[in-house]
Amino acid sequence: MLPTRRPLAEVTRELVAVATGKLPADTVIKGGKVVNVFTGEILPWDIAIKNGRIASVGDVSAAVGPETEVIDASGYYLCPGFMDGHVHVESSMVTVTQFARAVLPGGTTAIFMDPHEIANVLGMDGVKLMVDEGRELPLKVFATMPSCVPAAPGFEDAGASFGPEEVAAAMQWPGICGLGEMMNFPGVLAGDPAVHGELRATLAAGKPITGHFAMPADFQGLAGYTAAGISSCHESTRTEDALNRLRLGMYAMMREGSAWHDIKATIKSLTETRVDSRRAMLVSDDTHPETLLSTGHLNHVVRRAIEEGLNPIRAIQAVTINTAECFGVAQDLGAIAPGRYADILFLKDLARVAIDKVMVDGRVVAAGGRLLVDLPAVAYPDRVRHSVHLKEPLTPWHFRINAPAGKSRVQVRVMEIIEANVNTRHLTVTVPVVDGQVTAGVEADLAKVAVVERHGGNGSIGLGFVRGFGFKAGAVASTVAHDSHNLLIVGMNDADMALAGNTLAGCGGGMVAVRDGQVLALLPLPIAGLMSDRPVEEVAARLAAVHRAWQELGCRLVSPFMTMALLSLPVLPELRLTNRGLVDTLQFKMVDLITG
């Protein structure tokens, strides 16, 4: 067990006594090269630690007593633990505890999670379950209160609804550090009273508001959005997007996850300019379990920034002190300096981000890529394991798209996916009519899409078409469908679509691939239809089996699951599908599927 963390106010006398040689340190780290994130220097400092915090740096020989543990850090660079300023743990498909198991050995020692996925299914209860779980871990888990539940009111139906009252209440919870990404940027700009009520409640609590502004060409809109007190945004996909946020005084969060590889473009805002990088942050946003295990977490994101030309120290600042300052926790975290928690990484190679040991609260918790401490067992209650409530079992009839009478061909709106990008293109495509039905087609790479309300509400179903997955047969389904997490089904025939949806309803949610009436692969995600409480390695293996099944069906995308999951998120350009129908997200209006 790790020792109980004590607030700085409770340990000031002991820290000063160690710093002045009156009291021995618990631990001293000697011989390392310390990355100073304040000045950008690398300094030959030793470090004295007491009560899990750094008491002093430099010459700390006076703090070495007979019981002091001395760690030889010769040959190591020492830097602060990495902090992810924007992450959805649910996207890893495992619990917070299993997420911690996966990321701690790679140097992530703190996260600022936005649990709006579980919030859209289970409401305040879901948020509290994840926040409480995080309080028992060596990984420091902060949470922003989800702001958009549902993400786009009036365009979709979720399992809960949040407003100013819920936000104000959550601001008093331990572990809530701010407001989650404000995706309803049209509501911010239009002066929507409920939206601004949430902003007001957060600002009144003295906490930051994180952003999501997905209109890259609208600088004046971004300026107005910033004027509402929103201090950060992770929706930069181009160099100029990140620059505009930096110029307006926002923290520009530059994202690299399983499906979104934005750093190649966004990091140029720093490498090809002379702008100050202290308001730049590197984040993961959404990372799947196999990525965590095979590629890494923030260690990979930092490495990618360095590979694209960012100075290693500036890259480290972007996951340490910059993040800590963004969320107002720099007195405790983000630097190797007196008073801060002793969250320290031991790196063999700075540029390659080769992390050998990870220290949390003054104790080495991981070495050689392996976690050295046991994490507490977690048990989610039964009530969260039964969250898929369909109005009725699905049949092929539910997926019929009737063409206008007498038509042999019709024009339909189509979502065209862009691999490794959050956006879609809004196309109009001419398709054949067969027996009065508008159909999917292999030749045109068109698959049918359905979003089925699954929260026990009206049971409505939105239907549409998508291009770009490359499916030749079968169907896939998922209850991971941002952000309302209704039942999302993509397929080439109605019978397989019905089977896929009913399979997930029967197991409490997850991901499935089927063909010709047979289930090819299934990943159960019984916790809210979003997460498994199985070990992360097991979840990654089952997800890999689903990926192989997707490939059998014809899909060749590198990371298709998140691409599919965002088809139903009506706050991203250009065209999306919810249980209520198609949404033109540039005009923010419902539109017809058949146009002519």
Side-chain angles (χ1 to χ4, degrees):
M1 290 289 292
L2 289 171
T4 302
R5 291 188 191 114
R6 297 173 64 187
L8 181 60
E10 294 182 4
V11 295
T12 54
R13 293 184 66 191
E14 292 97 322
L15 294 178
V16 173
V18 171
T20 55
K22 300 182 183 69
L23 193 68
D26 297 329
T27 305
V28 164
I29 304 173
K30 302 191 71 170
K33 293 171 283 189
V34 173
V35 176
N36 189 308
V37 294
F38 298 116
T39 64
E41 300 173 285
I42 297 177
L43 301 169
W45 278 353
D46 295 341
I47 304 167
I49 300 167
K50 185 70 174 179
N51 293 320
R53 290 181 179 263
I54 298 168
S56 188
V57 295
D59 180 1
V60 300
S61 54
V64 178
E67 303 299 321
T68 300
E69 178 189 18
V70 178
I71 297 176
D72 183 5
S74 300
Y76 286 105
Y77 292 93
L78 305 174
C79 78
F82 293 164
M83 306 163 66
D84 195 340
H86 182 74
V87 59
H88 303 290
V89 169
E90 302 99 314
S91 292
S92 69
M93 305 177 205
V94 293
T95 61
V96 183
T97 300
Q98 287 298 316
F99 183 84
R101 278 193 61 232
V103 303
L104 275 166
T108 300
T109 59
I111 60 171
F112 296 81
M113 67 176 182
D114 184 343
H116 71 209
E117 322 301 351
I118 201 169
N120 273 278
V121 180
L122 301 176
M124 298 283 274
D125 187 31
V127 175
K128 198 169 190 309
L129 284 168
M130 291 188 70
V131 170
D132 288 348
E133 181 185 355
R135 294 172 66 188
E136 304 300 320
L137 300 171
L139 178 72
K140 293 180 174 67
V141 178
F142 301 87
T144 55
M145 173 61 180
S147 64
C148 297
V149 179
F155 293 98
E156 60 184 337
D157 295 286
S161 180
F162 289 177
E165 184 177 337
E166 287 81 8
V167 169
M171 289 300 142
Q172 308 308 313
W173 292 359
I176 295 293
C177 65
L179 188 66
E181 56 178 299
M182 176 46 74
M183 292 178 284
N184 191 357
F185 52 89
V188 173
L189 298 182
D192 182 279
V195 170
H196 281 265
E198 294 187 11
L199 304 180
R200 187 180 308 113
T202 307
L203 294 172
K207 296 181 179 182
I209 303 167
T210 63
H212 171 121
F213 189 87
M215 299 293 285
D218 188 1
F219 178 82
Q220 295 310 133
L222 180 62
Y225 185 75
T226 309
I230 298 166
S231 58
S232 65
C233 180
H234 64 280
E235 283 299 326
S236 295
T237 59
R238 309 174 304 164
T239 303
E240 54 266 44
D241 298 340
L243 266 176
N244 285 339
R245 284 153 178 76
L246 293 170
R247 287 167 174 161
L248 290 171
M250 300 184 90
Y251 284 89
M253 297 175 169
M254 303 182 197
R255 168 178 55 195
E256 191 84 359
S258 290
W260 323 130
H261 306 150
D262 296 331
I263 280 181
K264 186 176 183 64
T266 57
I267 209 68
K268 292 177 182 176
S269 64
L270 305 178
T271 59
E272 296 185 357
T273 69
R274 299 173 66 88
V275 302
D276 193 298
S277 62
R278 284 297 306 280
R279 283 186 176 262
M281 293 166 58
L282 300 174
V283 302
S284 70
D285 197 359
D286 298 287
T287 306
H288 286 154
E290 79 283 2
T291 304
L292 294 176
L293 295 175
S294 64
T295 306
H297 185 230
L298 286 183
N299 52 338
H300 169 67
V301 181
V302 172
R303 191 178 303 118
R304 282 290 299 120
I306 295 169
E307 288 170 353
E308 294 298 332
L310 189 63
N311 177 283
I313 293 179
R314 296 176 85 191
I316 289 170
Q317 288 174 323
V319 290
T320 56
I321 189 62
N322 297 4
T323 308
E325 289 178 348
C326 174
F327 288 98
V329 296
Q331 190 175 54
D332 288 324
L333 300 169
I336 296 178
R340 277 70 175 183
Y341 282 113
D343 295 352
I344 299 170
L345 309 184
F346 294 64
L347 295 91
K348 286 288 191 181
D349 188 301
L350 203 60
R352 292 187 174 87
V353 200
I355 298 168
D356 186 53
K357 297 185 182 71
V358 178
M359 173 178 281
V360 172
D361 299 329
R363 178 181 175 185
V364 175
V365 299
R370 189 168 59 88
L371 196 65
L372 302 179
V373 296
D374 293 328
L375 302 183
V378 58
Y380 275 73
D382 285 343
R383 68 180 182 276
V384 310
R385 296 175 178 273
H386 306 284
S387 66
V388 182
H389 306 289
L390 301 186
K391 185 176 181 180
E392 58 190 354
L394 297 172
T395 69
W397 180 88
H398 287 100
F399 305 100
R400 293 166 60 93
I401 300 175
N402 295 317
K407 290 275 192 176
S408 61
R409 301 176 71 82
V410 295
Q411 287 188 323
V412 298
R413 300 179 195 271
V414 172
M415 298 175 285
E416 182 179 53
I417 64 171
I418 307 168
E419 186 169 12
N421 193 292
V422 299
N423 297 332
T424 63
R425 297 187 184 98
H426 181 169
L427 305 181
T428 301
V429 176
T430 300
V431 297
V433 175
V434 178
D435 297 329
Q437 303 300 309
V438 185
T439 61
V442 173
E443 297 80 8
D445 188 16
L446 284 184
K448 191 178 287 186
V449 189
V451 179
V452 184
E453 192 277 322
R454 62 108 164 173
H455 302 296
N458 57 24
S460 56
I461 301 176
L463 297 172
F465 290 96
V466 63
R467 169 177 284 173
F469 282 109
F471 290 126
K472 310 299 183 188
V476 297
S478 175
T479 49
V480 179
H482 296 276
D483 273 340
S484 289
H485 298 290
N486 284 304
L487 175 57
L488 175 59
I489 309 169
V490 178
M492 302 305 293
N493 71 80
D494 297 346
D496 278 344
M497 291 179 74
L499 173 61
N502 290 330
T503 299
L504 292 188
C507 70
M511 294 181 174
V512 68
V514 308
R515 182 180 59 201
D516 299 331
Q518 299 294 319
V519 173
L520 302 180
L522 171 65
L523 168 60
L525 299 173
I527 300 174
L530 302 172
M531 299 181 291
S532 169
D533 53 5
R534 302 299 301 164
V536 62
E537 296 85 356
E538 181 180 323
V539 176
R542 297 196 71 157
L543 184 63
V546 176
H547 194 183
R548 289 192 296 272
W550 276 55
Q551 292 174 328
E552 287 184 39
L553 298 179
C555 181
R556 291 294 179 263
L557 299 181
V558 174
S559 186
F561 305 121
M562 185 58 68
T563 301
M564 174 179 165
L566 291 189
L567 292 178
S568 56
L569 181 54
V571 296
L572 293 176
E574 297 178 346
L575 185 67
R576 304 286 157 164
L577 180 70
T578 75
N579 63 293
R580 296 193 183 191
L582 282 171
V583 184
D584 181 330
T585 56
L586 297 182
Q587 302 296 322
F588 273 91
K589 64 179 183 180
M590 305 297 298
V591 294
D592 293 331
L593 171 60
I594 299 174
T595 64

